[in-house]
């Protein structure tokens, strides 16, 4: 009897077709409530999600037949991973699918900040031709500190190879450094870095990690890039550092104000003061959690899930 997979979010057509070619029956439900999904989940052996809602203990307990949960993305923070593992449910993610996109996006943000591209573009469109005011900085000679050296951090380090920069990384896992990046203690990274790029997953350890104490531990003022998770940064503390000059500028693809689904920003009508500062700051670039969203990664993510499901059942 063919095994059944339920899709809770829309994805690249390659994903559904690929799994059907492996012999699975694939159903889709993009609109039903979480409670309604729990009522039918027992019919399925597999679940494919992005970030529509939290996969918690009650949700997992609603099925006795679930063998795997596949998230078409890099992080698994919306899943109770410990409980799923306890229930012998295989967890599948696809960081390999969008790591290149994230690396390129982080580099693009950094170059835009250094060369005032966003500001200059707006000025020229208004008829302003301000050359000295838009004199840029060069990456050459700078030290780049990468915090979190997994798929995303490694991709960013690879993108930096064409520049004459020193690349350092800090990670809680030992021996992750490679030919592109030297792994160092956090204290050494905080002593040397001119640029800091965050590439960590959202865990209890990384929640609110970038705060005033963390920022002030850096010896030099630095530029900050975050293409990881918004809730790893205390926005109020980052804004205070931008105001004081401790942080020279920031490229933020993610914000702590995002909903857990990553699909929306604010639930309240009042805009936080810290966010209001960010949207008006000339040394800040913002994007809507799209660092990993490219035409190419859309397909790569789907293919990665197909390959990993195939391997799991082989």
């Amino acid at each position: 009897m063919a095994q059944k997979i339920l899709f809770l979010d829309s994805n690249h057509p390659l994903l559904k077709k690929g799994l059907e070619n492996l012999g699975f029956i694939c159903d889709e439900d993009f609109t039903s409530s979480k409670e309604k999904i729990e009522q039918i989940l027992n019919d399925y052996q597999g679940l494919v999600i992005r970030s529509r809602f939290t996969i918690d203990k009650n949700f997992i307990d609603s099925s006795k037949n679930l063998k795997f949960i596949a998230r078409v993305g890099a992080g698994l923070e919306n899943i109770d991973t410990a409980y799923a593992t306890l229930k012998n449910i295989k967890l599948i993610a696809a960081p390999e699918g969008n790591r290149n996109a994230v690396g390129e996006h982080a580099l693009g943000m950094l170059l835009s900040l250094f060369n005032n591209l966003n500001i200059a573009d707006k000025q020229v469109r208004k008829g302003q031709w301000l050359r000295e005011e838009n004199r840029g900085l060069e990456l050459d000679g700078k030290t780049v500190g990468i915090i979190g050296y997994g798929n995303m951090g490694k991709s960013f380090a690879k993108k930096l190879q064409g520049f004459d920069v020193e690349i350092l990384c800090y990670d809680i896992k030992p021996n992750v450094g490679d030919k592109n990046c030297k792994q160092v203690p956090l204290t050494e990274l905080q002593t040397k870095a001119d640029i800091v790029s965050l590439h960590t997953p959202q865990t209890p350890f990384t929640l609110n990690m970038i705060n005033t104490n963390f920022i002030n531990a850096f010896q030099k003022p630095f530029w900050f890039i975050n293409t990881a998770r918004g809730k790893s940064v205390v926005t109020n503390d980052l804004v205070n550092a931008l105001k004081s000059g401790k942080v020279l500028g920031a490229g933020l693809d993610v914000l702590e104000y995002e909903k857990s689904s990553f699909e929306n920003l604010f639930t309240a009508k009042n805009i936080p003061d810290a966010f209001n500062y960010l949207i008006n700051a000339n040394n800040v670039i913002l994007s809507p959690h799209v660092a990993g969203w490219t035409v190419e990664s859309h397909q790569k993510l789907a293919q990665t899930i197909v390959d990993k499901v195939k391997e799991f059942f082989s």
Side-chain angles (χ1 to χ4, degrees), residues 57-129:
K57 182 177 181 293
N58 289 336
F59 187 89
I60 293 170
D61 279 341
S62 67
S63 174
K64 296 179 181 178
N65 299 312
L66 207 56
K67 295 181 180 179
F68 76 88
I69 301 173
R71 178 168 185 266
V72 189
L76 295 170
E77 65 266 28
N78 278 2
I79 302 173
D80 188 333
T81 56
Y83 191 68
T85 301
L86 184 66
K87 301 289 283 188
N88 294 315
I89 297 172
K90 173 72 173 178
L91 298 176
I92 299 171
E96 303 89 347
N98 61 359
R99 60 189 174 191
N100 185 71
V102 171
E104 289 190 7
H105 195 96
L107 180 58
M109 281 189 146
L110 182 56
L111 291 173
S112 293
L113 286 168
F114 268 41
N115 292 282
N116 300 313
L117 294 182
N118 283 34
I119 303 170
D121 174 77
K122 293 176 183 177
Q123 291 172 344
V124 173
R125 290 171 188 270
K126 294 178 181 178
Q128 298 174 315
W129 197 258

Side-chain angles (χ1 to χ4, degrees), residues 168-171 182-192:
L168 307 175
C169 67
Y170 167 72
D171 197 288
K182 178 185 177 184
Q183 186 172 9
V184 298
L186 180 58
T187 52
E188 182 175 343
L189 187 148
Q190 289 175 316
T191 298
K192 296 181 177 179

Side-chain angles (χ1 to χ4, degrees), residues 11-32:
N11 286 285
H12 193 285
L14 183 155
L15 180 51
K16 185 171 181 284
K17 183 178 179 180
L19 292 174
E20 287 174 339
N21 288 342
L22 293 175
F24 293 98
I25 296 172
C26 297
D27 295 335
E28 298 174 336
D29 191 328
F30 305 154
T31 58
S32 292

Side-chain angles (χ1 to χ4, degrees), residues 32-306:
S32 292
S33 67
K34 186 176 180 181
E35 290 73 22
K36 186 172 180 180
I37 296 296
E38 288 174 346
Q39 295 173 11
I40 64 172
L41 193 60
N42 205 49
D43 295 335
Y44 296 92
Q45 287 73 45
L47 188 66
V48 175
I49 65 167
R50 287 207 319 265
S51 303
R52 187 166 140 206
F53 42 62
T54 301
I55 308 300
D56 53 22
K57 182 177 181 293
N58 289 336
F59 187 89
I60 293 170
D61 279 341
S62 67
S63 174
K64 296 179 181 178
N65 299 312
L66 207 56
K67 295 181 180 179
F68 76 88
I69 301 173
R71 178 168 185 266
V72 189
L76 295 170
E77 65 266 28
N78 278 2
I79 302 173
D80 188 333
T81 56
Y83 191 68
T85 301
L86 184 66
K87 301 289 283 188
N88 294 315
I89 297 172
K90 173 72 173 178
L91 298 176
I92 299 171
E96 303 89 347
N98 61 359
R99 60 189 174 191
N100 185 71
V102 171
E104 289 190 7
H105 195 96
L107 180 58
M109 281 189 146
L110 182 56
L111 291 173
S112 293
L113 286 168
F114 268 41
N115 292 282
N116 300 313
L117 294 182
N118 283 34
I119 303 170
D121 174 77
K122 293 176 183 177
Q123 291 172 344
V124 173
R125 290 171 188 270
K126 294 178 181 178
Q128 298 174 315
W129 197 258
L130 305 176
R131 297 184 68 218
E132 185 59 39
E133 292 85 345
N134 285 304
R135 189 181 289 274
L137 296 171
E138 296 180 14
L139 274 180
D140 280 23
K142 305 295 191 296
T143 297
V144 181
I146 298 174
I147 300 178
Y149 202 62
N151 281 281
M152 310 305 170
K154 286 182 169 66
S155 175
F156 184 51
K158 184 179 178 181
K159 305 303 173 195
L160 289 167
Q161 292 311 299
F163 299 90
D164 185 13
V165 293
E166 181 182 17
I167 308 172
L168 307 175
C169 67
Y170 167 72
D171 197 288
I172 59 173
K173 295 180 181 178
N175 305 317
V176 297
D178 56 24
K179 64 179 182 179
N180 295 329
C181 185
K182 178 185 177 184
Q183 186 172 9
V184 298
L186 180 58
T187 52
E188 182 175 343
L189 187 148
Q190 289 175 316
T191 298
K192 296 181 177 179
D194 300 295
I195 299 149
V196 177
S197 190
L198 191 63
H199 297 280
T200 52
Q202 184 173 305
T203 68
F205 179 76
T206 64
L207 197 65
N208 298 326
M209 177 175 66
I210 310 299
N211 53 33
T212 295
N213 290 336
F214 188 94
I215 293 169
N216 287 341
F218 282 82
Q219 183 172 309
K220 299 183 285 186
F222 63 93
W223 300 80
F224 179 65
I225 306 293
N226 185 13
T227 54
R229 288 293 183 261
K231 290 181 173 55
S232 293
V233 178
V234 180
T235 310
N236 283 327
D237 293 357
L238 174 62
V239 165
N240 287 334
L242 285 163
K243 289 178 178 178
S244 72
K246 184 67 177 183
V247 173
L248 298 169
L252 308 174
D253 180 55
V254 291
L255 294 164
E256 71 168 296
Y257 312 114
E258 291 178 81
K259 292 184 179 180
S260 59
S261 66
F262 306 138
E263 296 297 331
N264 294 287
L265 200 56
F266 299 107
T267 54
K269 291 183 179 180
N270 295 326
I271 297 177
D273 290 341
F275 181 70
N276 195 55
Y277 178 88
L278 292 177
I279 63 178
N280 288 289
N282 285 332
N283 60 341
V284 174
I285 294 178
L286 303 169
S287 56
H289 202 137
V290 292
W293 280 46
T294 62
V295 172
E296 293 84 357
S297 73
H298 193 32
Q299 182 169 333
K300 290 177 186 176
L301 285 165
Q303 188 61 55
T304 300
I305 296 297
V306 172

